[in-house]
Amino acid sequence: MPRGEVTMSIHIVALGSERPGLGLGEEGGGQTQGGLLWSYLGRSAVAGAREPLEGADGGMLNSTAATRHPLNPAFVEYQARMFGDVRVVVHDCPSWDLLDRDWVATRAVLEQADILVIKYSVNDKLTFQQVRDTYSPRIRPLLRHWAVPVIVAAVGARLNEEGPPCTCPLCASDWSSCVPHSEGLQLSRDLGATYLELPSLNDFFVGRYFGGVLEYFMVQCLKQKAKERPDKRRSHKASDLRPPQLEQPARLPAVRVEESHFAQDMQWLLERGVQFADVAFYAGDSGKELGWAHAAVLCAVSPYFRQLLLGGKARERPVSRCACREASQSLLSTWDGGMDDPTRPDGHLSGRLSRLVVKDPLLCVCLWEMLRFLYRGASEWKQLQDAAGEKLKNSLAVAELMDRVRSFLAREKGSRDTLTPRSSQQSPHYLGNLFNSPLCSDVIFMVQGSVLPAHRAVLVARCDVMAAMFSGKYAEARSRVVPIHGVSSDTFLSFLEYLYTDTCCPASVLQAMAVLVCAEMYQVKRLQHLCEVCVCAYLQSMPSRELASTGISVVRLLRRAKCHNADQLYVWLLHFIANNYLIFSHKPDFLELSEEEREQVERLRWPSRGYLQELSEYQLRRRQLRKSRCSVM
């Protein structure tokens, strides 16, 4: 085969010896002749695929073809040609000890490797252990950095076998002197290598078995190098026209919503909302006052308290005034339920006070912990158990107290499915049971002729403006009917729904903006953020065709967002207009933007003005090129 110009080269670095006794402490000398790579490159398994190794006289492979590497004399270098014009350069170091003499030079040789081959004899276990324990940890970090394919080749037949090597991991008859298959496989896994076992260096194992794997990695290496080379065949197309590249639009800013403080609001009501409390607890043995609570909250979270406090007004009429019918001793009972409260603060609307007698001693001791558990949604069982344990100091008493609390949350007395904390958990927004319900209500809102019942205790806990409105300083505190002006009934009903459930789901963009205005009026910041998210979600889900034809004015939404301190929505709408510049710039309300807003939209607009200019020039050149071609034809 005539030798042409070499266009590519592959460097193979081989470490170790296939022959026992040459791996450590001995220099191989001419050991490369007859070795694994020497034997493979000297064969012509496929006609025309290879040329003989280049010797000093250009003839067949012989000892004069091997020379010492200029950077590290420990490596023997020889060359061959494969695949027609690919030059294969092999750097072979048969002795591992030679690497320790100059590790810097060894590292420089390893950096040139396209393929790394590690060889050892299965009958030289001492050398293998030295490679595994000493040299493998030093090579592993380099391989992770360079990502070089590695082949681990175990050569030779084990001493107790006449045929192929035993690959059974349970066969340990010659482990004292030979390297087991499992240890060689583990070494290859540590290095991320391909593991091969060659009983001998005959034509089959060298040419097809080892050669097939090596040629696969060589082909992959050639493909990778071909990708990295500049493609000269496309150089003549550099002068062709190319359209301008359209950049991606700017990412819309995120609208953040603060975390829910529903449980904290309810705990505040328990701790500081005594002014609006209408339930008093007394100890059954001493008559001492234990604490105050709110009937609306207790009835919302517990069927037990609903029957106890409401009696005939509840859906299920209890047999007796005490709802604990199966217990031998009543836990709670009512006393003077119809007596008005004589100690209410001045200016507060007079109402009926329910007095509850606590006859269970465990509840008397841990009443405050139980009420805090109920007010926070009856879901924090672990916190209740820990708090009761600190006060009672008795595990049996804590277990009995937990059973009492479970009975308060049970739907049906004696049912088995209500005895576990998980099955007794309430929704964290349990006050939704009282939303727009006359049950326990003590205030009525008149909105556009609609009657909306509500509960003062819930309103003052969830809204600071409501808390100030129902205090003794204003007329709303002394009136049962409170008129609301400037807000539609649907909007105010959505506002009340958030106060009770901590959620908001407006039906449209306009409804979300209306609720946002109401939230800003009553200074409920989290609801305002939720409405901002709803507006953004509705607008972003509209396709371009619907945005162009919709009757919703995004510019006017921008005006309302700025007017009602919805800063996040204001910034988001500016970016939204800029990202859909070609749609909104042709609408009449686009002129309502202020000069500062228009400058910001122009700066963020997509597509940019520079891209449109480049596109116009590109189209003009294309038309000129077509005309020139037509004239030539």
Side-chain angles (χ1 to χ4, degrees), residues 72-93:
N72 192 338
F75 287 89
V76 179
E77 179 180 318
Y78 48 94
Q79 303 180 8
R81 287 196 181 185
M82 294 187 61
F83 308 119
D85 59 350
V86 177
R87 183 166 62 98
V88 179
V89 182
V90 180
H91 311 286
D92 198 344
C93 179

Side-chain angles (χ1 to χ4, degrees), residues 40 83 115 210-222:
Y40 165 72
F83 308 119
I115 301 173
F210 173 76
V213 175
L214 184 62
E215 289 182 8
Y216 169 79
F217 288 124
M218 294 172 67
V219 171
Q220 297 300 319
C221 180
L222 292 175

